[in-house]
Amino acid sequence: MKIGIVCYPTFGGSGVVATELGMALAKKGHEIHFITYSQPVRLNPLTGNIYYHEVQVSDYPLFDYTPYELVLTSKLVDVAKYEGLDLVHAHYAIPHASAAYMAKQILASEGIHLPFITTLHGTDITLVGRDASFAPVITFAINQSDAVTAVSEDLRKDTLTHFKVNREIEVIPNFISLERYGKSDFNALRKIHAPNGERILMHISNFRPVKRVEDVVKIFAQVRKHMPAKLILVGDGPERNRIEALCRTLGTCHDTKFLGKIKSTETVLGIADLFLLPSKTESFGLAALEAMTSGVPVISTNTGGLPEVNVDGVTGFLSDVGDVKSMANNAMKILESEETHRVFKQNALNQAHKFDINRILPQYEHLYDEVMATASV
Ligand code: GMT
């Protein structure tokens, strides 16, 4: 099949999922065309069957705001026509689903049928999408998609609650390529970051307010009062300065390291003893799944789709948003005994296997087949 993938090419989970999906499909023999404004961070362009089409946005002096959606639409039409795409898979509704809809209409006027699938990832529904300035377009694009998927049951329900959706939404959870994990020996790296055998707590995110990174720092400050520990923060974003200031106030700077953005998180997760994800909302929590795949238990909130990934009392613990005390206590419960830590680590790994890409990929392929079959009727 020839599939066009539209996604955000950045470090965000939706772009990562879209890229990993495209690369796995390419490996299975599908021809995959990424249509984005820059090379997706996780994309290996040398992979066979992978093509990259850059959406070039020019700045006209007339425009205060460059109409990216129109440029993307034109690019989609161009790629669909000249590469002979069978379908488009739009990851993240805004503005990808509506651009795909418009491209579909333009192509239809030329007698070409291009179905499109929309995958909802979270903030397109839970935060941005609900804004009155986007909601009518999102609702329309969802209803006009040839198929719609959500990355968790919670996101599916949330979408149906907040938008007037008159169609089915299928849940296809996010996934993990297990083959990328368990390849390195992390002992040397661990020694660098925790030279005296300290426990390592880790957080990975884009440091947006929704991630509540300040709670990560507060949890760590509590844990460190009870045991020698280090905090490693991976990623970067708007909250970074505030977080550094909080570390200074709490006196935890000497035991905290900011690593910045890292392309392949499996290269660092292996040194962690515990992963912290105290988000305000999280439709799935791909970072938590990546941690679990490295055998790292997760302390998270119980919001959104997180309970579908992190099993309370088994792979880690879940607490209410903002309940720093509970999250710190739960962290200590896991870390205080070697035996308890070992059991949680093993459980986390076992749970991660349920999201093996080899189990999830066929669900997408099946959906593509269904959409194509309906399209050709
Ligand atoms: O979490 C973010 O800030 C990035 C965002 C995105 O759109 O890339 O992540 C969303 O999609 C991920 C992949 O499906 C999910 O794992 C994240 O939970 C979801 N983020 C939120 O719901 C806040």
Side-chain angles (χ1 to χ4, degrees):
M1 221 178 262
K2 291 186 180 186
I3 302 161
I5 292 186
V6 188
C7 65
Y8 282 108
T10 55
F11 283 87
S14 63
V16 168
V17 167
T19 309
E20 297 282 356
L21 174 64
M23 291 202 296
L25 288 164
K27 234 177 169 178
K28 286 190 85 173
H30 299 282
E31 193 177 296
I32 306 300
H33 295 263
F34 281 92
I35 303 150
T36 58
Y37 60 79
S38 69
Q39 184 104 261
V41 283
R42 286 246 182 125
L43 185 68
N44 176 1
L46 294 174
T47 315
N49 288 333
I50 291 281
Y51 299 86
Y52 167 60
H53 308 269
E54 189 154 311
V55 181
Q56 275 163 348
V57 190
S58 337
D59 254 345
Y60 290 106
L62 181 67
F63 297 143
D64 278 340
Y65 306 100
T66 307
Y68 173 67
E69 187 170 350
L70 297 187
V71 191
L72 172 62
T73 304
S74 296
K75 193 73 185 175
L76 272 169
V77 169
D78 180 70
V79 175
K81 264 162 92 172
Y82 293 100
E83 302 291 349
L85 295 185
D86 294 308
L87 60 85
V88 163
H89 191 164
H91 289 262
Y92 208 89
I94 307 164
H96 301 154
S98 40
Y101 168 76
M102 181 127 84
K104 179 178 170 169
Q105 297 310 312
I106 294 170
L107 290 161
S109 73
E110 298 177 29
I112 300 168
H113 182 61
L114 182 70
F116 73 100
I117 293 169
T118 301
T119 289
L120 307 172
H121 279 275
T123 44
D124 45 355
I125 296 303
T126 53
L127 300 178
V128 194
R130 265 186 228 171
D131 190 301
S133 47
F134 290 113
V137 182
I138 301 292
T139 311
F140 181 77
I142 289 174
N143 286 332
Q144 293 298 319
S145 301
D146 292 275
V148 181
T149 75
V151 298
S152 64
E153 180 55 32
D154 184 80
L155 183 60
R156 187 185 77 84
K157 285 195 188 132
D158 218 14
T159 311
L160 295 175
T161 307
H162 293 99
F163 296 84
K164 285 201 179 96
V165 173
N166 56 21
R167 52 158 318 117
E168 217 183 286
I169 298 177
E170 186 176 336
V171 176
I172 302 186
N174 287 335
F175 50 81
I176 205 86
S177 295
L178 292 166
E179 63 191 34
R180 293 166 73 122
Y181 289 79
K183 286 202 168 139
S184 317
D185 176 1
F186 288 99
N187 285 329
L189 200 57
R190 246 202 95 92
K191 267 239 155 308
I192 295 171
H193 293 280
N196 302 308
E198 296 92 339
R199 293 298 201 181
I200 297 181
L201 282 68
M202 192 175 282
H203 169 77
I204 302 177
S205 78
N206 50 20
F207 285 50
R208 286 194 298 143
V210 70
K211 301 294 173 181
R212 295 185 66 97
V213 190
E214 74 273 17
D215 285 358
V216 170
V217 176
K218 289 178 191 165
I219 295 165
F220 174 69
Q222 301 254 334
V223 171
R224 204 193 55 156
K225 279 186 197 156
H226 292 87
M227 60 183 74
K230 298 281 184 186
L231 175 63
I232 296 187
L233 296 165
V234 181
D236 216 333
E239 292 284 280
R240 163 87 187 248
N241 288 345
R242 232 164 57 80
I243 297 310
E244 276 185 41
L246 182 62
C247 290
R248 285 176 200 155
T249 310
L250 296 178
T252 55
C253 288
H254 293 304
D255 289 318
T256 302
K257 184 132 192 192
F258 289 82
L259 294 190
K261 291 177 183 170
I262 289 183
K263 203 168 136 186
S264 307
T265 51
E266 71 274 10
T267 59
V268 69
L269 275 164
I271 66 169
D273 291 304
L274 205 60
F275 188 77
L276 305 178
L277 195 61
S279 306
K280 183 176 170 210
T281 172
E282 202 70 67
S283 71
F284 184 88
L286 186 65
L289 177 58
E290 291 184 334
M292 285 158 60
T293 315
S294 293
V296 183
V298 174
I299 295 296
S300 73
T301 44
N302 50 19
T303 180
L306 279 171
E308 295 171 50
V309 181
N310 185 22
V311 185
D312 195 32
V314 179
T315 61
F317 285 104
L318 303 166
S319 303
D320 290 340
V321 174
D323 194 343
V324 169
K325 195 170 167 207
S326 154
M327 288 186 266
N329 286 340
N330 287 336
M332 288 183 286
K333 244 188 252 173
I334 295 177
L335 295 176
E336 257 158 11
S337 124
E338 278 306 328
E339 179 52 16
T340 312
H341 188 219
R342 197 192 57 72
V343 172
F344 273 86
K345 277 172 75 69
Q346 188 57 52
N347 291 347
L349 194 57
N350 294 347
Q351 168 77 349
H353 276 71
K354 294 187 186 156
F355 298 91
D356 180 351
I357 190 166
N358 295 314
R359 289 183 180 200
I360 310 297
L361 195 67
Q363 296 181 41
Y364 276 116
E365 285 184 294
H366 181 68
L367 187 67
Y368 295 161
D369 286 339
E370 264 181 9
V371 164
M372 290 301 294
T374 320
S376 58
V377 171

